[in-house]
Structure formats: structure tokens, C-alpha cells
Amino acid sequence: MELKSPPARARQTGAFAAGDALSMTATLKPLDPASVKEVRLDTTHKIIEIAPGVKFTGWTFGDQVPGPTIRARVGDKVRFKMTNRSDEPVPGVRVSTAPMMHSMDFHAAMVSPQDKYRSIAPGQTIEFEFTLNYPGIFMYHCGTPMILEHIASGMYGAVVVEPRAGFPTKADREYVIIQSEFYAKLDPGKRKVDSAPLYVLDGDRVRAAQPTHIVFNGVHNGMVRRPLPAKAGERVRLHVLNVGPSKTSSFHVVGTIFDRVWIEGNPSNQFRGMQTVLLGSSNSAIVEFVIPEDGSYIMVDHHFANASQGAIGLISTVVQADTTEIEHHNLQASATPTQPEAAQGKLNFESKCLACHTVGQGKKLGPDMVGVTKRRTEDWLTRWLKSPEKMLESDRDARAMLKEYNNLPMPNQNLSDAEIQRYIRYFKWADAQPAGSLSSSGAGH
């Protein structure tokens, strides 16, 4: 195997990602039959939206987070090119962080890291090639120090390597699920993007492993708003990768059992009938299961503190979508407040309250929250959210609401004062929107 790559050379222009082996969305494309995979993944700096209203200064491979997935087969050769374009303004978006050195580290490769994974300056290009020797799901990421910050800013993706003879089962649907963490804080310079506040990397949080968002495929609750489609009776194959950079994932799908689990994506490492798969940082697995009947099946990190920060998604039989463009499914975008406290209140509501409440979608187990700040005073809402069981002891309105909703009391969520204020800010924002707009925008979903 050749271990010396050509010297870094002049800038290249054009598409930020190119190659027939690339899948740009969660839907994994069929294997490209070519034995040599030509792959280009350029680095960019751009604003990404990691949660509704949270515009973050991301660093990318291929101009997206996660970077495109590379699909290949054992024995294939990957010819890789990368231009460091961190100094270029992305069309329509200004450069958000200073240009810097970047590199590429492929966990799927067996090469000299000093040679292949060296850092290149803005404007330079690096090229190297390697042969795939093992099947599996392998992480790729920027290897430039501090690696922690580069991964936490969005520089990661997956390489899916099939066994030479293909997988031993036939799947009807194949998706890639990449779990990762973001560590965001409001920009100290108070910059804004489209009138929304800008968020930047929180260095203290990233070093303390205290993420603000834990997500599937780069977006908080993204696959709740845009579920992955499937049909009853189909076999679904999920290629699951936890890129971290620091947290462990307990991947679980509610309502089914993993018929087959191949640890690290290698069929030689097979388990049967598993409920949950434990994945450390940069660990992976292929999980297969059959959709037993029509419904929506929840993908979740069973470390529920992680799920509450956004590591949740849906596979649904009721979604009608072009599966080649699943990330651009034609559901309308949910309206989002621009004020940070209200935006965080919306995220908290979507994580904790949607089982019982909506905003603009009608009653469920509990009341629709539209108009709540017009029906109740801020003091009443604060006391209710703080201790609903105490309110039920003495408050006439609270007892009447309990009776109306089948004597199902709201459990105490043990909210802090700051969290309560975020909920109230969100409810006030929702009640200030034009009548009917939240229902039509899907803000209660």
C-alpha cells in the first residue's frame, strides 16, 4: 500500500462534496458498483441550525453536518480529495469564524496518520487513497488539534463498508443515524443571523463534557419533525454511529426488538433479539428490525438525559415522502421564537410535554396550551409548574381542570425557576402569534 500522498496543492473550486458513493441525507443510497470510489469532501465554515432558532457557528465536511456518508465494500479503494475552504464565504452566508487549519481522519483506513491525516492551511488541497479491509460503520472526523472542538463544531461523518459478499439479510429500508453533541452559548459579541441571536462553541462546556444539545443527524428533534418513512412488515436496517465527542449512547427503538445487531457494523459480531445497543464515542452498530404494524416508532437514546436534549427521532408508517430527499420532506417548518429564553422554552416543551399537550393542535391528555397566558396569570402558571400537587390541594381552578381531564394529575416535573420562566416566555410568544398560525405551522408537533 502506498503511504505517501502528494503534497498539498492549490485551491480547488466547485461543489463542496462530490462522488457517486456519497449519500447526502439519512437515506443510504445503494452501493455504487465501481471498485474505486472517488470522493471529495471540502471543509467550510458556515451557520447551521442545530435546533429551532439556534443558529450555530459550525465547521463542516461537504458543507453539511453530519458530513455525507460514504458507502463502499471491502476491497474497494477510496481516492479522497479535500480542499480547506474555511476562508470562503458560503453563498448566502457570511463567514462566522476565522479560517484555520483542518485535516481528515478516516477510522476505516489503515494508513500512516502522520502522512495522510496532516493538517492543511486554508486554500490548500490534500489527496490520498486507501483500500477498505474490514466491513463496518466507521467514523471520519477532523484530526486537527483541538480535535474535541473540531468534532463538537460539526466535523464528522460515517463510512459504511459492506462485507465483500454483501450483507447476509435483505433490508427494505436503510438509514444512517449519527448521534452527536453540541456545546452552544450565545455569542459574546451579540451578533445576529436573520434577526436571531448567534450561538458559538462554549469551550468550557465542551471540556467539561456538558452538552447543551444531543442530536441525531445534526438537529435537535429533527427526525421527530421529519420522520423516516417505512411500511408495516418491512425490514429496516439502521446504520448507527455515535460520534460523541464525549458521551455514551444507549440506542433503542420503542415498539420493536432488534432482530439482528452487528456490533461495529460487522456481521461477524452478531447478537440476536436485543432491546438496546450501548455505543461509546466512535462506536457503531447495524441494527435490523421488522416494523410489526402501522404506527410511529420512536428512536431514542435510553440515557434519557440525552434524549431530553434532543436525541430522539421517529420511524413512521404514516409519512408520505420521497425517501431520496428525506431531509427536505414537505412538512412546514415549525414557527420559532427568536428570543433565546422563549426558544429554549419551546425546545423544553417539545422534549417533555408533547405526550400530553400541544400548542395549537387541540386537546390531548391535557389541555392545548394556546391561549394559556390569556386564561391564567403569570403567578398562577409559575405556581402550577412549580408544584401542581400543592395547587390541587387548594386551588379551585386546578381542581376543575383535573376533573375535566379525567382525573389525570400533571406530575411534578421538578422544574427550576429558570426553566419555569422559559416555559412562560414560550407560552407568551405563542399567544402573541396570529390566530391559527401555530396550528398551520406545526408548532405543536
Side-chain angles (χ1 to χ4, degrees):
M1 181 176 291
E2 175 60 51
L3 295 179
K4 293 183 178 179
S5 55
R9 55 189 177 79
R11 176 189 303 278
Q12 302 221 9
T13 59
F16 296 110
D20 292 337
L22 297 183
S23 295
M24 312 303 287
T25 71
T27 302
L28 188 64
K29 290 168 49 179
L31 179 72
D32 172 39
S35 61
V36 177
K37 305 295 194 282
E38 304 278 355
V39 172
R40 167 174 288 280
L41 294 174
D42 292 342
T43 68
T44 66
H45 289 181
K46 65 180 296 187
I47 306 297
I48 60 175
E49 190 168 46
I50 61 176
V54 182
K55 309 282 189 176
F56 180 74
T57 52
W59 308 342
T60 85
F61 287 116
D63 204 41
Q64 65 178 60
V65 178
T69 298
I70 302 169
R71 185 172 196 166
R73 180 169 284 177
V74 169
D76 286 350
K77 179 178 289 186
V78 175
R79 286 182 179 156
F80 174 69
K81 295 181 181 179
M82 182 186 83
T83 298
N84 184 343
R85 299 169 70 173
S86 63
D87 59 338
E88 291 184 26
V90 177
V93 181
R94 58 182 168 75
V95 174
S96 57
T97 51
M100 64 183 67
M101 304 284 279
H102 288 301
S103 61
M104 173 61 86
D105 178 337
F106 281 111
H107 288 197
M110 300 174 69
V111 296
S112 164
Q114 290 79 20
D115 178 52
K116 302 294 191 294
Y117 302 161
R118 69 184 186 276
S119 298
I120 58 172
Q124 290 187 316
T125 297
I126 192 169
E127 301 178 28
F128 58 84
E129 60 184 41
F130 56 93
T131 298
L132 297 164
N133 297 320
Y134 288 90
I137 305 167
F138 298 95
M139 180 178 176
Y140 67 76
H141 63 88
C142 182
T144 300
M146 289 181 56
I147 298 174
L148 176 64
E149 295 185 352
H150 287 249
I151 296 175
S153 295
M155 302 193 79
Y156 50 79
V159 181
V160 174
V161 185
E162 290 191 16
R164 195 181 295 270
F167 291 115
T169 58
K170 182 182 183 301
D172 298 295
R173 310 266 181 170
E174 290 188 85
Y175 297 116
V176 177
I177 309 297
I178 298 178
Q179 180 168 326
S180 64
E181 304 140 25
F182 287 105
Y183 303 78
K185 67 177 180 181
L186 286 169
D187 177 32
K190 299 182 179 180
R191 291 177 292 174
K192 292 190 175 184
V193 179
D194 298 329
S195 75
L198 179 66
Y199 288 78
V200 298
L201 184 69
D202 188 328
D204 292 335
R205 276 186 170 272
V206 77
R207 286 184 288 274
Q210 296 176 335
T212 55
H213 303 79
I214 301 178
V215 301
F216 291 154
N217 289 18
V219 181
H220 177 286
N221 284 1
M223 284 182 285
V224 174
R225 292 184 291 274
R226 298 176 177 85
L228 304 178
K231 294 180 180 179
E234 288 186 329
R235 174 174 288 272
V236 176
R237 179 183 295 151
L238 301 182
H239 303 261
V240 185
L241 170 65
N242 176 29
V243 304
S246 299
K247 294 294 185 179
T248 299
S249 171
S250 287
F251 187 79
H252 175 76
V253 178
V254 179
T256 189
I257 294 175
F258 299 151
D259 175 54
R260 284 172 173 80
V261 174
W262 299 323
I263 299 299
E264 293 295 320
N266 187 332
S268 296
N269 307 326
Q270 178 166 287
F271 290 85
R272 300 293 301 272
M274 294 186 72
Q275 59 187 321
T276 300
V277 179
L278 186 65
L279 303 174
S281 294
S282 91
N283 281 143
S284 64
I286 290 175
V287 302
E288 289 191 355
F289 52 91
V290 174
I291 301 293
E293 58 185 345
D294 284 339
S296 293
Y297 295 82
I298 303 170
M299 301 178 291
V300 65
D301 185 341
H302 221 279
H303 288 309
F304 277 110
N306 294 350
S308 72
Q309 291 183 297
I312 188 169
L314 293 177
I315 299 172
S316 179
T317 63
V318 299
V319 175
Q320 301 297 320
D322 177 357
T323 58
T324 63
E325 293 292 339
I326 187 65
E327 299 298 338
H328 301 98
H329 179 254
N330 60 354
L331 293 176
Q332 292 175 298
S334 177
T336 301
T338 58
Q339 203 278 332
E341 290 291 299
Q344 187 60 52
K346 180 178 188 293
L347 296 182
N348 293 348
F349 180 88
E350 290 179 346
S351 296
K352 294 183 178 181
C353 306
L354 286 184
C356 300
H357 301 278
T358 72
V359 177
Q361 299 295 312
K363 298 178 180 180
K364 293 176 74 175
L365 293 178
D368 187 333
M369 301 307 293
V370 159
V372 69
T373 62
K374 298 176 182 178
R375 299 191 300 269
R376 310 292 186 193
T377 66
E378 183 169 338
D379 175 70
W380 194 97
L381 288 171
T382 300
R383 289 186 291 118
W384 174 253
L385 292 170
K386 188 74 172 178
S387 182
E389 68 277 12
K390 289 185 178 179
M391 292 278 284
L392 288 170
E393 293 175 359
S394 58
D395 188 272
R396 180 183 304 174
D397 290 342
R399 289 199 299 267
M401 185 167 59
L402 178 67
K403 184 177 180 180
E404 180 183 355
Y405 289 93
N406 301 311
N407 292 312
L408 291 174
M410 187 178 94
N412 192 321
Q413 301 293 321
N414 297 308
L415 300 174
S416 69
D417 292 341
E419 288 175 317
I420 290 170
Q421 285 303 306
R422 291 178 190 130
Y423 277 106
I424 293 173
R425 295 290 175 270
Y426 170 48
F427 296 149
K428 286 184 175 180
W429 171 85
D431 289 343
Q433 304 311 300
S437 64
L438 295 179
S439 176
S440 64
S441 72
H445 285 161

